[in-house]
Amino acid sequence: MKIALALGGGGARGLSHVGVLKVLEENGIIPDIICGTSIGAIIGGKYAHIPSWKTVWEDVLRAIEGEAFKRAGMELFEEEDEKKNPFHEFLKVIEKGILYSRAIASTSLVSYKAYIEAIKDFFGRDFFIEETRMPFAAVATDLITGAEVILSRGSMVKAVAASSAIPGIFPPIEWNNFLLVDGGWTEVMPSTCARLMGADFVIGVWIGRDISEFLGVHNSFEVVSRADEITRHYLGVLRKQECDFIIEPDVGKFVWSDFDKKEEIFKKGEEAASESIERLKKIIKMKRLTTLFKKKRKISSPFFKIELAQPDTLRNFT
């Protein structure tokens, strides 16, 4: 039975993924497959390459304090209202007039160079996804076709950058015939990706937020933000239903830019996994028995594209 870990997106809330990995690793649950969206792709890609939660966490701490991370512009949103989602934060910045000229003159607030350097700094170097110790895929969204694109080969840095490219904030990534942005706009928790990669049992780590209390709308920005929140909420509900087991760290109060609260967020992941680990082990044991007699479910949809061809060589990222 192949066990997959589907790591969801949510900015700094994704640091809780490392806490989950710690508990799983200590209890002997090592995934056969890892799929990640956005921050889930960053953490998942690192763990797939070096399956050690300690190593991943050490690199997270190093990267957050590094100059490349700061240059990527994450500090722009540190003081935003913690009740707002990333899309709303971006609109709020524009509404205030901050960086307005950059927003209308460019496809992103953060430059391509600074963004790629921050991703590469976390991984240490670029390498092919095929070099990872366990099968890995990052999920991105194609702006041209609207399809979900599963990146399972080629440059790790480029794949993770595509999966994490929050629209309007980070630059879209060109990959063969695709123009890719954050995978959270199609698969906020990559459970379908895990099935397509051959998983029999999917453990989803959900770090999204439930739909917030409606406090009224006072301008067009708030209308757009609320509509976006509703869409992403119901997309998340669908992805949860595709998992066999869900670990849900209590990170709803954190915003995507709360990297300065890294230790607290890490603990939330550790606590959530610890609370459910015994139940998870029992379910896995039962699932192993039933899998012997059950045909594997086939997944197919015109909305998914699995990108297997290698993109550009690594020379642009090393």
Side-chain angles (χ1 to χ4, degrees), residues 10-304:
R13 296 192 297 275
L15 300 182
S16 62
H17 287 323
V18 189
V20 171
L21 288 169
K22 176 180 184 290
V23 175
L24 294 179
E25 189 176 313
E26 289 175 344
N27 284 271
I29 300 176
I30 307 300
D32 301 289
I33 299 164
I34 294 185
C35 293
T37 294
S38 199
I39 185 69
I42 295 174
I43 301 299
K46 187 72 175 184
Y47 191 78
H49 187 53
I50 305 176
S52 165
W53 74 266
K54 288 183 179 179
T55 299
V56 174
W57 187 238
E58 288 170 358
D59 285 339
V60 165
L61 297 179
R62 175 189 53 77
I64 289 175
E65 297 301 323
E67 288 301 316
F69 181 84
K70 295 175 182 177
R71 282 195 299 270
M74 300 299 292
E75 70 276 11
L76 291 173
F77 305 105
E78 284 183 355
E79 296 180 359
E80 291 299 314
D81 185 345
E82 66 176 17
K83 295 182 180 179
K84 305 302 182 182
N85 64 28
F87 184 60
H88 189 284
E89 290 180 19
F90 169 64
L91 293 176
K92 188 174 180 180
V93 169
I94 300 304
E95 185 180 7
K96 288 179 179 178
I98 302 172
L99 303 178
Y100 179 77
S101 60
R102 285 179 59 189
I104 62 175
S106 175
T107 57
S108 65
L109 295 181
V110 177
S111 71
Y112 180 86
K113 181 180 180 181
Y115 181 47
I116 291 295
E117 284 182 353
I119 299 293
K120 189 172 72 172
D121 181 64
F122 173 67
F123 283 95
R125 65 178 179 86
D126 198 11
F127 53 88
F128 288 116
I129 295 173
E130 297 91 317
E131 297 177 42
T132 58
R133 297 186 189 179
M134 58 184 69
F136 169 75
V139 175
T141 303
D142 181 31
L143 289 178
I144 298 172
T145 64
E148 174 183 340
V149 179
I150 297 173
L151 305 168
S152 58
R153 294 184 184 176
S155 162
M156 175 64 82
V157 168
K158 193 170 184 179
V160 166
S163 180
S164 307
I166 299 173
I169 297 178
F170 300 123
I173 303 297
E174 294 182 7
W175 184 302
N176 292 347
N177 297 320
F178 303 121
L179 186 61
L180 303 176
V181 295
D182 197 305
W185 265 254
T186 48
E187 192 168 8
V188 67
M189 184 172 64
S191 48
T192 302
C193 169
R195 299 290 183 193
L196 288 166
M197 292 284 287
D200 300 293
F201 188 88
V202 178
I203 303 170
V205 183
W206 173 257
I207 57 169
R209 290 168 157 179
D210 292 331
I211 193 166
S212 63
E213 179 185 358
F214 181 67
L215 301 175
V217 291
H218 306 94
N219 54 53
S220 61
F221 293 104
E222 292 184 352
V223 172
V224 172
S225 177
R226 182 64 176 181
D228 174 73
E229 182 182 10
I230 292 170
T231 299
R232 290 167 64 80
H233 169 71
Y234 283 105
L235 181 60
V237 170
L238 290 174
R239 296 312 186 201
K240 285 183 179 182
Q241 293 174 350
E242 295 170 354
C243 294
D244 296 287
F245 193 89
I246 295 177
I247 298 173
E248 195 165 348
D250 183 18
V251 292
K253 70 177 182 179
F254 300 101
V255 294
W256 76 283
S257 55
D258 276 339
F259 290 94
D260 59 323
K261 300 173 183 175
K262 49 190 176 295
E263 298 288 350
E264 186 181 354
I265 296 173
F266 171 88
K267 281 292 183 183
K268 292 293 185 182
E270 189 177 13
E271 290 168 3
S274 296
E275 290 170 1
S276 58
I277 191 66
E278 292 304 321
R279 184 163 58 93
L280 174 58
K281 288 193 285 189
K282 290 179 181 178
I283 292 175
I284 288 177
K285 185 176 181 179
M286 294 172 58
K287 182 71 175 180
R288 289 189 191 281
L289 294 174
T290 58
T291 300
L292 295 173
F293 307 100
K294 187 176 180 180
K295 291 183 178 179
K296 186 172 292 189
R297 182 168 54 149
K298 292 184 178 180
I299 303 290
S300 62
S301 169
F303 299 106
F304 299 106

